[in-house]
Amino acid sequence: MKAKQRTLAFLLVLVLAAGAALALLTHANRKAEQAASEVEDGSIPLLDVTGDTLEQVAVQYEGETLTLLPGDGWTLAEDPDYHLDDSACDTIRTALADMRAKRQLEAQPGEDYGFDVPRLVVNVTAAGERTTLTVGAENPVTGDVYVRRNGEDTVYAVDAAKFRCMEQTKAELFGAFSPAGITASDIEALRYTLQSGEVVSLQAVSQPTGADSTAYQTVWRLTDAPDAALDADKTDALLAALASYVTGQDTAADSYACGFDDPLVTAEVTTADGTAVLTYAIGTDGYYMRVSGDESVYTVDGQTVAALCQTAEQLK
C-alpha cells in the first residue's frame, strides 16, 4: 500500500513539473512571438520620449550642432534670439516620440555601417535621461538607415524617413515671420526716405465711396499733395511689402557688409501701437532689413524692396 502511495506521489510530482515546464515554454513562446511580431511590424522602441518628458534635442548635422529647447515655442540654445520654425521642430519631436526600428542585428567584423562618418547624430534628453542615436549609412535596397544607440554593439535598421526632418541646417529651420509685427491694414501713416534723399509721406484718408454714398473707404494720399490721386496697386504693394515675411535671420551680422551704412530706403511706419522704423539695404549677398529695437539683420527678396523704392511721382 505504501509503495503504491509513493508511486502516486512521484507521478503527481512529475505531472506538476511537466505542467510548470509547459507553462514556462508557453510563456517563452509567447515572448518570442511578441518579439518576432515587433520585428515584423518595425516596432522595436529606441527611445522613451513623450511631448511632456522631452527636455532637449541636440542634432549634429553637416558640421553644425543645433540644440532645440521646447517650451512656449522652440528656442535654439546656441542662438536664443533666432526665430525657429515651430512647426518643423514639432515634427522632430513627433518623430522622436515614435522612433522605432524595423530590425536589430549584431555588428559584423569589418563593417562600420557608416558610423565612422555618421550622417547624423541625435542626442535626446527626456525625463533626465540622455540617449544618443548615431545614424550611419543608408541601405539602398531597403531604404533603411543603420542606427546605433549609446555606442552599443547592436545595430538597428530604421526607416530613413524618420530622420529626414532632422537633416536641416540652421537656415533651413528658420521660421518666416514679420519682425515688425504689423499687417498692411494696421498702417495709419507712412514716411520713408529713399537713398536719393527724397522723403515721401503718406496718410490714410477715409472718404465716401460715391457722391451720395454713406459708405466709406480708406485711400492713401501724399501728405504734401492730398489732392493727387495715387495708383492703388502701387500703394497696396507698398503697404504689403512693409508687412511681408522675412526669409532669413542673422543675429550677429556685419551691418556694413549688409549695406546699412547707405540704405536703399528707411521707412517710419505708424500704427495704433506706435511707430516702427524699418531700414532696407543691399549687401554682398542680397537684400536685407532691420527693425528698430532689434539687433538682427533679416533677409528679404528683391521684389519687396522694389515695391518700397517708389518716388512720390511714381506712386501717382
Side-chain angles (χ1 to χ4, degrees):
M1 184 66 180
K2 290 184 179 180
K4 185 179 293 186
Q5 289 176 341
R6 284 196 295 270
T7 301
L8 289 174
F10 178 71
L11 290 174
L12 180 59
V13 170
L14 288 178
V15 169
L16 292 175
L22 180 60
L24 289 173
L25 181 60
T26 301
H27 178 71
N29 287 338
R30 286 177 179 172
K31 294 289 288 184
E33 289 174 0
Q34 181 181 359
S37 177
E38 286 185 346
V39 172
E40 182 181 349
D41 294 340
S43 57
I44 305 171
L46 293 181
L47 293 170
D48 184 12
V49 176
T50 67
D52 294 331
T53 62
L54 182 65
E55 297 170 16
Q56 72 172 38
V57 184
V59 181
Q60 298 173 28
Y61 176 64
E62 292 192 351
E64 186 177 45
T65 298
L66 303 177
T67 304
L68 310 177
L69 307 176
D72 185 13
W74 288 81
T75 302
L76 182 63
E78 292 81 7
D79 191 353
D81 292 328
Y82 192 75
H83 196 273
L84 290 170
D85 183 340
D86 286 340
S87 177
C89 294
D90 287 342
T91 300
I92 292 174
R93 175 166 52 192
T94 299
L96 293 172
D98 191 36
M99 186 61 66
R100 298 174 181 274
K102 292 181 178 180
R103 299 179 306 281
Q104 67 181 54
L105 53 143
E106 293 299 321
Q108 299 299 310
E111 293 285 345
D112 68 9
Y113 301 94
F115 296 134
D116 284 349
V117 185
R119 60 191 291 169
L120 192 71
V121 177
V122 184
N123 291 294
V124 182
T125 303
E129 295 291 330
R130 174 171 168 156
T131 303
T132 299
L133 300 179
T134 304
V135 184
E138 182 172 341
N139 187 314
V141 177
T142 64
D144 300 331
V145 289
Y146 297 112
V147 177
R148 178 170 282 164
R149 182 173 58 187
N150 295 331
E152 299 166 353
D153 291 335
T154 302
V155 177
Y156 298 92
V158 182
D159 185 354
K162 291 286 187 181
F163 293 98
R164 296 284 187 238
C165 59
M166 303 174 211
E167 295 177 338
Q168 299 190 73
T169 63
K170 179 180 178 181
E172 291 168 334
L173 275 177
F174 174 72
F177 76 120
S178 174
I182 59 176
T183 62
S185 60
D186 291 332
I187 302 173
E188 299 176 352
L190 170 64
R191 184 177 185 273
Y192 62 92
T193 304
L194 298 171
Q195 193 175 40
S196 64
E198 179 181 353
V199 177
V200 181
S201 183
L202 298 167
Q203 184 72 40
V205 177
S206 180
Q207 67 178 30
T209 56
D212 300 323
S213 176
T214 58
Y216 286 80
Q217 63 181 349
T218 299
V219 296
W220 284 86
R221 292 287 184 258
L222 293 167
T223 303
D224 56 359
D227 295 330
L230 301 182
D231 186 316
D233 290 338
K234 290 182 178 179
T235 55
D236 287 347
L238 179 66
L239 300 174
L242 292 167
S244 63
Y245 281 15
V246 296
T247 58
Q249 179 183 10
D250 190 336
T251 59
D254 183 342
S255 294
Y256 181 82
C258 294
F260 286 104
D261 59 316
D262 187 21
L264 297 174
V265 58
T266 301
E268 299 173 37
V269 185
T270 300
T271 67
D273 295 327
T275 299
V277 179
L278 283 61
T279 306
Y280 298 82
I282 184 171
T284 54
D285 297 319
Y287 295 95
Y288 304 96
M289 183 192 77
R290 296 191 75 168
V291 181
S292 54
D294 187 342
E295 296 300 319
S296 292
V297 169
Y298 298 97
T299 306
V300 294
D301 59 54
Q303 288 183 329
T304 295
V305 177
L308 294 167
C309 292
Q310 300 284 323
T311 66
E313 194 62 32
Q314 289 172 328
L315 288 175
K316 296 178 182 179

